[in-house]
Amino acid sequence: MKSLVLKVTSILFVLATTFSFANHQTEKENLKKQTIKVALLLDTSNSMDGLINQAKAQLWEIVNELSYAKYGMQKPDLEIALYEYGNSNLPSREGFIRQVLQFSNDLDEISEKLFSLTTNGGNEFCGQVIQTSLKELDWGNNKNDLKLLFIAGNEPFTQGKINYKDAITDAKEKDVVINTIFCGNYSNGISGMWKNGADLGGGDYMTINQDKKVVHIITPYDDDIIILNKKLNATYIYYGNAGYSKFSNQKTQDENALEMDEAVVVKRAVSKSSRLYENSNWDLVDADKKEKVDYKSIEKKKLPKILQNKSATEIKNYVKQKANERAEIQKKIKELDIKRRSFIAKKQKEGTQKDVLNNVMIKAIKRQAKLKNYTW
């Protein structure tokens, strides 16, 4: 009898330990920071200049919308990856496919890579580029991450040696949702199997007019935001090996935005005032916030000239001063953006921009995010 009691006690102990471990693992998973991962697969063949221009013009609007996302009490991170396919300048042995950017949260780098894209005639192999991105990208294993793939193009979805259905099976195993964006007529996309690809991949089938000019609504707050953006740039303090080149790239991406339209500069400035614009790997203000700086051992030669002869304490005080300035500037940009968005909402006519890239993408992202308990 005593032996039986001991056995039962042992079994109960094992069960309780296992249950406790399982609970601990679940809690740990829930506490893990969520990330919205978006892979953009863009057709860069001859006819796709309009698509690329829309992506360049609307990147910041998409980023801004994602900055408002929440998962419970947490605000998820954002990572974007970029592929181009269908360009005859790319190696045929690779299926005319190139990874332009691995998943990155560096918004300036994402912009830089997007603006580097050019178009040229080629073969568009949708199944192969989907499969390639699934294999090459680090999608992670956090069940609460939102993993979205957007593929855009205008040729039949069935081209190439890799069957798109097999590629989509691989996507499901990684919990990646496949969204398709056909650049052209809705019914042509259906006959070209773009809708079937989205249906199988659990995503949305969308069509856009890639040649449609994006209409930016000018607001009374834009000029003030642009002025504040210049002041914001002056609060960045580069450091480390890549510091100066990253600092210079920030200005270059402002110029790229201006090349598209002044309104794009405004949208980028709003992104730069959001939590998603984080540069602790090259900016001392962001690095100090994350407690990543040892001021005593910092390489002074790789700092701005104004700080190279300063003491550790003086550098630290300067960083604190710039941090306060930045917080104030970002606060003003956010306040102006609330008024700006309200102005746009009143001016915007229903449906005027429904078939452009950012609108269809944002709509799809929000619908799919809701299924995984993300809110706005």
Side-chain angles (χ1 to χ4, degrees):
M1 184 69 181
K2 189 177 181 181
S3 172
L4 180 63
V5 170
L6 282 171
K7 281 182 181 177
V8 171
T9 305
S10 299
I11 291 166
L12 288 172
F13 176 76
V14 169
L15 287 171
T17 306
T18 305
F19 182 72
S20 172
F21 177 76
N23 267 354
H24 179 67
Q25 287 298 99
T26 305
E27 282 172 18
K28 204 173 177 184
E29 244 180 41
N30 288 337
L31 287 171
K32 201 192 288 186
K33 182 80 170 174
Q34 290 77 33
T35 304
I36 298 174
K37 296 192 172 193
V38 179
L40 298 176
L41 282 46
L42 302 179
D43 179 352
T44 55
S45 63
N46 254 344
S47 53
M48 290 290 103
D49 292 287
L51 169 68
I52 305 307
N53 283 334
Q54 282 194 23
K56 290 174 183 177
Q58 297 172 328
L59 168 68
W60 303 110
E61 201 160 336
I62 293 167
V63 168
N64 291 339
E65 202 62 42
L66 292 177
S67 73
Y68 307 128
K70 290 181 183 177
Y71 187 91
M73 297 300 290
Q74 291 190 342
K75 293 182 176 180
D77 292 330
L78 171 66
E79 292 180 1
I80 295 176
L82 184 60
Y83 276 78
E84 64 168 323
Y85 75 102
N87 191 316
S88 59
N89 288 332
L90 303 175
S92 58
R93 66 181 179 277
E94 305 292 339
F96 303 100
I97 293 164
R98 179 172 76 99
Q99 183 190 97
V100 182
L101 184 66
Q102 173 65 261
F103 277 126
S104 173
N105 61 1
D106 185 335
L107 298 183
D108 286 341
E109 184 181 27
I110 294 163
S111 174
E112 177 192 0
K113 297 300 184 185
L114 196 53
F115 273 84
S116 74
L117 296 179
T118 55
T119 58
N120 201 22
N123 296 298
E124 297 99 297
F125 303 147
C126 295
Q128 192 168 347
V129 70
I130 291 171
Q131 189 177 79
T132 301
S133 66
L134 290 168
K135 284 181 179 177
E136 291 182 350
L137 295 175
D138 180 11
W139 290 96
N141 54 13
N142 185 350
K143 291 177 182 177
N144 296 324
D145 283 350
L146 185 61
K147 304 171 190 178
L148 308 175
L149 184 151
F150 287 85
I151 178 168
N154 71 340
E155 291 294 327
F157 208 64
T158 51
Q159 290 183 354
K161 63 182 180 181
I162 305 296
N163 190 316
Y164 72 90
K165 293 179 182 178
D166 295 333
I168 290 170
T169 299
D170 295 342
K172 285 182 176 178
E173 289 174 5
K174 292 178 181 282
D175 195 28
V176 177
V177 178
I178 305 292
N179 296 281
T180 64
I181 303 171
F182 182 69
C183 302
N185 181 275
Y186 189 88
S187 58
N188 288 348
I190 292 175
S191 60
M193 303 309 285
W194 285 77
K195 185 176 187 304
N196 187 246
D199 290 344
L200 291 173
D204 285 28
Y205 164 60
M206 298 154 272
T207 59
I208 64 167
N209 177 358
Q210 78 271 19
D211 296 320
K212 185 170 184 176
K213 183 171 170 54
V214 179
V215 178
H216 301 286
I217 295 174
I218 308 304
T219 82
Y221 314 103
D222 292 0
D223 289 344
D224 288 340
I225 291 174
I226 289 170
I227 290 166
L228 286 168
N229 180 58
K230 289 177 182 175
K231 291 181 179 179
L232 183 63
N233 285 353
T235 68
Y236 282 84
I237 310 165
Y238 60 84
Y239 76 98
N241 293 330
Y244 182 73
S245 65
K246 290 281 190 182
F247 175 75
S248 300
N249 192 38
Q250 183 187 62
K251 184 183 176 185
T252 301
Q253 298 321 308
D254 279 357
E255 289 166 357
N256 279 339
L258 182 58
E259 186 185 301
M260 304 307 297
D261 196 282
E262 274 198 351
V264 180
V265 179
V266 173
K267 292 169 189 177
R268 174 169 157 78
V270 173
S271 293
K272 285 164 69 178
S273 69
S274 80
R275 62 185 178 82
L276 296 178
Y277 192 72
E278 199 282 320
N279 298 290
S280 56
N281 60 332
W282 66 266
D283 166 55
L284 277 180
V285 173
D286 282 350
D288 185 77
K289 206 181 292 182
K290 286 197 162 189
E291 299 182 347
K292 287 172 67 174
V293 189
D294 180 358
Y295 287 98
K296 289 179 182 177
S297 62
I298 199 165
E299 254 187 292
K300 292 185 180 180
K301 284 183 181 178
K302 290 173 182 173
L303 292 175
K305 283 184 181 178
I306 195 173
L307 296 177
Q308 288 179 6
N309 295 318
K310 303 286 186 186
S311 68
T313 303
E314 286 173 324
I315 295 170
K316 193 172 183 178
N317 288 338
Y318 185 80
V319 170
K320 189 175 180 182
Q321 176 196 327
K322 290 297 175 184
N324 290 336
E325 285 177 25
R326 185 180 302 175
E328 189 59 34
I329 292 165
Q330 288 177 328
K331 183 185 172 189
K332 287 177 182 175
I333 291 174
K334 286 174 184 173
E335 287 169 352
L336 286 169
D337 186 51
I338 291 169
K339 295 175 183 177
R340 172 184 160 272
R341 286 161 68 91
S342 174
F343 182 91
I344 289 170
K346 288 173 186 173
K347 287 279 182 182
Q348 217 165 24
K349 290 179 182 177
E350 189 65 37
T352 51
Q353 291 281 286
K354 66 180 178 182
D355 57 349
V356 292
L357 189 66
N358 70 316
N359 283 351
V360 297
M361 279 187 66
I362 289 168
K363 188 177 176 184
I365 289 169
K366 285 189 170 182
R367 187 189 73 77
Q368 290 155 32
K370 192 176 179 183
L371 297 175
K372 293 202 80 169
N373 299 318
Y374 286 74
T375 58
W376 261 258

